[in-house]
Amino acid sequence: MPIRGGLPPRNPRFVGREGLLADVRGLLGNGPVVLLPSADHQLGGTGRTQLAVEYAYRYAETYDLVWWIPAEQTAGMRAALVGLAQELRLPEARDINRTLGAVRDALSRGEPYRNWLVVFENANRPEDIKPYLPSGAGHVLVTSRNPRWTTEVAQAVPVPVFDRTDSVDFLRRRSPDLSAVDAERLAERLGDVPMALDEAAAVRSAAGWSVDDYLRRYDERAAELAFPTPIRVAWGLAADGLAETSPAAFELLELSAFLASAPVSWELLWAARGLASPELARTVRIERRLKAAMRLIGRYGLADLDPPGGSLVVHPLVRGMLGQQLSSERHAVLLRTVRAMLAAADPGDPDNPTHWPRYAEIVPHLVHSDVLGGDAEEIRHLVINCVRYLYAGGDYDSSRDLATQAVARWRDSLGETDEQTLLASFHLANALRAVGRTADARALNAQTLRSQREVLGGDDEQTLATANSVGADLRMQGHFGQARQLDADNLVRYRRLFGESFPTALRCANNLAADLRLLGDFRGARALDEQVLRHRQMIFVDGHPETLSSRAGLAFDLYGLGDYPAAAELLAAAGHFDTLGPDHPMALWAGRFAAMAARRSGRPDAGALATTNAELYRQKFGDLNVETLGAMVSLAHCARDAGDLDEAHRLLERAVARYHAVLGDEHPFTLAAGADLAGVVRATGRYAEARTIDQEALGGLRRSVGADHPFTLSCANGLAADLVALGEGQPAREIALDTLTRSRSVRGGDHPDTLACAFNVALDAGDDQSAEAAIEELQKVYGEGHPLLARARSGVRLETEIEPPPL
């Protein structure tokens, strides 16, 4: 049996279409096939979806995998593809676009399944699905109402109405007591249109109408319409029949005119129990009555129900016809009800994964119900929560698109300084930063913060949240000092307003610790991280991501202080990182820091740890992500220690180029990576080239982070080595002595890098006694047998590589 995902139930009453099924089977071998309505029924109703479902079941045994993807809306399509990624056991990237690209590529390669069928249902915008269409040995089947499909994308197969034999067969299967003559009469009047035939069969069965009675009603209804078509007339009779039998069920159906073609669960409809008319409210407020009304809608052929009867799907044609027959007053009433229903179904806390299934059900209906135009605060808050849900789930593009629409609409209707407009702007900036538009995010955040401070005040919780986001922008720009100043001010406000154990206050403290690490103040960062960790352990369960974030940050603090065994011990003792999954951001941080500590401790497994970590980062975040580049730098250091200078040079050269592209030429990380690259160039004997790189990096670091920053001290140590190798002893000694003095002041005399600088100064001066004393101190730090000691004893100058902290 093939693996199946999202496949609708098979239609037990499917008839005919043998020629079409054979044609589709043959054409799929040449590339994607799109099923379109025939030219004389361009609105649909000819059975495209049913044909696709039948094909999937009939030929299922020839596939290893069959996956059904609702493609009417981008968010729903992306969610279905993420589910496919999980089935394919692909690592889920933080950016959902990387996950979707990985799905396409895995299917195209035939890994792990060579024979697969992917069906995109209701893909009415070819440009939306084109980026996700796989190639390879598998098959892609599409259903669409849009005729604008080119042969470059898919082969078009028009789906016509039934031939008369199939119409008669279809009707008699639905009603076994129906004579062939009566079936022929019905089929002729209904033009052999599958959807019209289905509705006629359903309403006759539900209402108990005879063929003569039905045809009489049909003619009367057709005479009332200016442009009667079989679908419009048959639908009208079914709707009238349902309204006569159950006004409440019909009103429930009317609500679907403002919902999408996605499944609508009874839980979602149940949210309308206090909002609907008295007649409908009586039905909706009791689960048993609500489900009975949903079944009745299905019996009249006006919606499809899933097998348990918990969700219904209304055909787009039915939704369209429902909307057309509403008066303007009725339209306004129902639209308000649907918007309020969706808001009432909002579970809140969109960062909580347990709430994501409900948000996944709500999001497809936002467009059809035009919630952006809602005039109630709770409806706009639903939009904001959906923006955040999409962001939290990694669908940054959809989050950005929804936030962009919200900001544009609300600026016009509410004003630029409205509280919810500003909140939507804050979330839009987050999404912009996530998709790489950092300059746009920075400008929007700055504008939003100014407005919030003027309108809401500096102590408002929303203002503080935006200020935190501005701090992230400053870190990304390399303005670490400004970020520290802003975050320190935020922390004072948070603690005064909410107390120091409040979760968002702890996040702010966590951000301030990150600022201190970036500034090289590892003692200050350690004190703050230890404090935050204690509070988080008191308020969160074991293994909570925020607690693990504090552990990881504290481990980097210990590394920065030169206590490599303690850093490794903390990461190993935490033990909880594994529970998050190997590609969770906190697990990736811990993996990188563990590799760094292992390398500094001289362990032989450091290279393997760094290799695994860098690949996981690349899969999760992509090649141009700042954290991926940090992992690449760590891997390069391992390669250098292993003697593979070519690999170390390749990795660092690539890292420098990408830092330039992502952060700019003057960012401290770009300059630090350049200093690391100079170290590898120096190791290959190209001292003049290394000096050029180091001089440029050192000047930039002194300007950006100051002469006492650890990055600057490491770079200066490298430049002194360049000058020694080039025979420029005097300037080399001056730089080396200045670096040692600063390192003792900033890092302490017993820090491993300070001891390395002391050894280098003694070596340059020919002071064997001082050099031996430095080696003895290094042995206390690293332990006997460490490779660094062997290098020092052989008279080789010691390097002090730079490891960029997380931004």
Side-chain angles (χ1 to χ4, degrees):
M1 292 291 292
I3 296 169
R4 297 174 181 172
L7 190 59
R10 191 172 192 175
N11 182 358
R13 296 185 292 270
F14 186 88
V15 299
R17 305 293 202 185
E18 297 299 329
L20 265 178
L21 288 166
D23 290 345
V24 170
R25 181 66 175 169
L27 289 171
L28 281 171
N30 302 324
V33 170
V34 56
L35 303 177
L36 299 171
S38 57
D40 52 345
H41 289 83
Q42 291 190 0
L43 292 178
T46 58
R48 290 163 294 116
T49 298
Q50 290 302 317
L51 182 66
V53 171
E54 179 62 21
Y55 177 88
Y57 280 100
R58 184 169 299 193
Y59 294 103
E61 297 302 322
T62 65
Y63 297 105
D64 302 316
L65 172 80
V66 177
W67 211 263
W68 189 276
I69 298 172
E72 184 179 34
Q73 292 195 20
T74 303
M77 177 179 65
R78 288 166 174 259
L81 285 167
V82 168
L84 178 52
Q86 294 167 352
E87 180 59 47
L88 297 175
R89 295 179 176 82
L90 297 173
E92 187 175 339
R94 187 180 181 188
D95 179 357
I96 199 172
N97 283 329
R98 293 190 53 76
T99 301
L100 304 188
V103 170
R104 178 199 59 220
D105 295 344
L107 292 175
S108 299
R109 293 192 306 267
E111 297 174 357
Y113 306 110
R114 176 174 173 79
N115 297 313
W116 43 262
L117 171 68
V118 175
V119 183
F120 290 89
E121 179 194 16
N122 281 335
N124 296 317
R125 287 168 48 90
E127 59 271 25
D128 286 345
I129 74 164
K130 187 176 179 181
Y132 310 122
L133 292 179
S135 55
H139 293 162
V140 175
L141 184 59
V142 182
T143 71
S144 178
R145 294 191 306 276
N146 188 344
R148 294 187 302 105
W149 289 80
T150 65
T151 55
E152 294 177 357
V153 180
Q155 307 160 88
V157 174
V159 178
V161 299
F162 282 147
D163 60 35
R164 184 56 50 82
T165 301
D166 287 343
S167 296
V168 170
D169 189 14
F170 176 83
L171 289 170
R172 297 191 72 189
R173 285 196 184 188
R174 291 291 304 265
S175 304
D177 59 340
L178 184 67
S179 69
V181 172
D182 282 341
E184 178 88 22
R185 292 167 61 204
L186 286 169
E188 180 178 3
R189 195 70 57 85
L190 294 165
D192 299 303
V193 179
M195 185 175 178
L197 294 170
D198 187 57
E199 287 181 338
V203 73
R204 283 189 62 250
S205 173
W209 297 342
S210 67
V211 172
D212 288 338
D213 193 14
Y214 183 86
L215 291 176
R216 176 183 56 78
R217 291 171 182 262
Y218 186 97
D219 291 339
E220 291 173 353
R221 182 77 178 194
E224 296 171 357
L225 299 175
F227 301 102
T229 65
I231 289 180
R232 186 175 297 278
V233 176
W235 170 82
L237 292 177
D240 288 348
L242 177 65
E244 291 174 11
T245 303
S246 173
F250 181 71
E251 186 174 344
L252 197 64
L253 176 66
E254 284 184 308
L255 296 178
S256 71
F258 305 93
L259 298 171
S261 295
V264 181
S265 72
W266 71 266
E267 290 101 328
L268 190 59
L269 295 169
W270 196 42
R273 58 190 179 277
L275 310 165
S277 67
E279 177 65 28
L280 178 57
R282 180 181 179 278
T283 297
V284 173
R285 66 172 173 253
I286 303 298
E287 176 187 345
R288 172 179 52 80
R289 294 178 191 154
L290 172 58
K291 289 183 175 179
M294 293 169 63
R295 289 194 299 270
L296 191 60
I297 293 171
R299 283 183 58 200
Y300 274 83
L302 294 167
D304 294 322
L305 269 71
D306 61 359
S311 296
L312 56 81
V313 177
V314 181
H315 193 283
L317 273 179
V318 172
R319 290 190 287 110
M321 289 183 287
L322 279 166
Q324 290 171 11
Q325 57 90 38
L326 294 174
S327 67
S328 58
E329 294 80 5
R330 183 65 174 159
H331 185 282
V333 168
L334 291 172
L335 179 57
R336 282 197 300 271
T337 301
V338 168
R339 287 171 173 171
M341 177 186 80
L342 294 173
D346 181 0
D349 192 10
D351 287 296
N352 187 341
T354 62
H355 295 168
W356 291 357
R358 174 54 59 86
Y359 280 114
E361 185 180 2
I362 292 172
V363 164
H365 305 294
L366 298 181
V367 173
H368 292 271
S369 58
D370 189 28
V371 292
L372 293 172
D375 55 4
E377 186 178 22
E378 64 270 18
I379 294 172
R380 293 192 293 272
H381 193 68
L382 166 67
V383 174
I384 291 169
N385 279 349
C386 288
V387 168
R388 181 62 192 179
Y389 149 71
L390 291 166
Y391 180 94
D395 192 350
Y396 302 136
D397 284 323
S398 295
S399 177
R400 176 204 58 200
D401 292 345
L402 182 57
T404 299
Q405 295 174 49
V407 170
R409 290 281 294 273
W410 296 348
R411 277 178 176 169
D412 289 341
S413 60
L414 305 174
E416 289 191 3
T417 59
D418 176 82
E419 180 179 350
Q420 288 184 303
T421 304
L422 293 171
L423 184 55
S425 298
F426 159 76
H427 286 293
L428 174 57
N430 281 341
L432 288 171
R433 187 192 301 117
V435 299
R437 292 172 54 183
T438 54
D440 292 338
R442 185 166 63 246
L444 180 57
N445 262 334
Q447 175 187 334
T448 303
L449 182 59
R450 284 194 299 270
S451 297
Q452 286 177 326
R453 282 173 170 168
E454 291 175 5
V455 175
L456 306 174
D459 286 346
D460 183 84
E461 191 170 359
Q462 291 183 26
T463 305
L464 293 173
T466 304
N468 272 338
S469 190
V470 170
D473 292 331
L474 291 169
R475 286 192 290 276
M476 188 66 71
Q477 289 178 273
H479 301 326
F480 305 148
Q482 293 179 39
R484 176 188 59 185
Q485 183 177 353
L486 179 62
D487 288 335
D489 176 69
N490 276 356
L491 184 58
V492 170
R493 293 173 185 269
Y494 265 120
R495 285 177 168 173
R496 174 166 50 80
L497 295 167
F498 305 109
E500 61 180 13
S501 293
F502 193 68
T504 50
L506 294 175
R507 286 179 201 157
C508 186
N510 187 79
N511 292 346
L512 180 57
D515 300 332
L516 295 174
R517 269 194 300 278
L518 290 164
L519 288 166
D521 183 2
F522 294 107
R523 291 188 181 88
R526 175 183 180 177
L528 196 52
D529 276 325
E530 287 177 336
Q531 184 183 64
V532 172
L533 178 59
R534 285 195 299 271
H535 285 297
R536 283 177 166 172
Q537 286 174 324
M538 287 188 290
I539 65 175
F540 294 132
V541 298
D542 285 346
H544 191 283
E546 295 196 25
T547 303
L548 299 181
S549 171
S550 291
R551 288 185 182 277
L554 181 56
F556 201 106
D557 300 337
L558 293 170
Y559 178 92
L561 291 168
D563 194 347
Y564 311 127
E569 183 180 353
L570 177 63
L571 293 167
H576 298 291
F577 291 104
D578 294 339
T579 64
L580 299 174
D583 62 348
H584 189 281
M586 293 305 107
L588 291 173
W589 276 13
R592 181 183 165 217
F593 303 162
M596 289 161 46
R599 183 184 72 84
R600 283 283 197 156
S601 299
R603 284 169 38 193
D605 63 338
L609 293 173
T611 299
T612 299
N613 181 253
E615 179 58 23
L616 286 171
Y617 259 117
R618 189 192 65 77
Q619 292 176 353
K620 181 78 172 178
F621 295 109
D623 293 324
L624 294 178
N625 179 272
V626 174
E627 305 303 335
T628 302
L629 296 179
M632 187 183 297
V633 169
S634 298
L635 178 58
H637 293 328
C638 290
R640 175 180 174 165
D641 282 0
D644 192 348
L645 295 180
D646 288 342
E647 177 65 4
H649 187 278
R650 184 187 70 82
L651 289 168
L652 284 170
E653 192 172 48
R654 186 171 297 178
V656 170
R658 290 174 178 171
Y659 273 131
H660 273 290
V662 175
L663 298 177
D665 297 350
E666 291 296 311
H667 194 283
F669 282 17
T670 306
L671 299 166
D676 285 332
L677 175 61
V680 176
V681 172
R682 183 167 51 251
T684 62
R686 292 174 287 162
Y687 305 118
E689 182 182 344
R691 177 179 61 180
T692 299
I693 298 172
D694 271 327
Q695 285 177 332
E696 181 179 343
L698 184 59
L701 287 169
R702 284 173 173 167
R703 288 191 300 272
S704 60
V705 292
D708 291 336
H709 193 283
F711 287 7
T712 311
L713 298 176
S714 293
C715 183
N717 181 58
L719 178 58
D722 300 331
L723 296 173
V724 168
L726 290 169
E728 300 180 32
Q730 182 60 32
R733 283 191 292 274
E734 291 175 0
I735 292 175
L737 282 169
D738 178 70
T739 302
L740 175 58
T741 301
R742 292 177 185 276
S743 186
R744 283 172 172 161
S745 174
V746 172
R747 296 187 282 208
D750 58 352
H751 190 283
D753 286 350
T754 302
L755 295 172
C757 290
F759 171 79
N760 291 339
V761 167
L763 185 68
D764 296 343
D767 185 348
D768 294 340
Q769 184 176 355
S770 296
E772 185 58 37
I775 291 174
E776 290 178 3
E777 292 301 314
L778 285 167
Q779 183 175 325
K780 294 177 184 178
V781 173
Y782 288 110
E784 184 59 49
H786 194 284
L788 179 141
L789 300 177
R791 291 197 292 273
R793 286 170 179 149
S794 64
V796 176
R797 240 176 166 277
L798 299 180
E799 299 284 351
T800 52
E801 305 90 355
I802 303 172
E803 293 277 9
L807 275 178

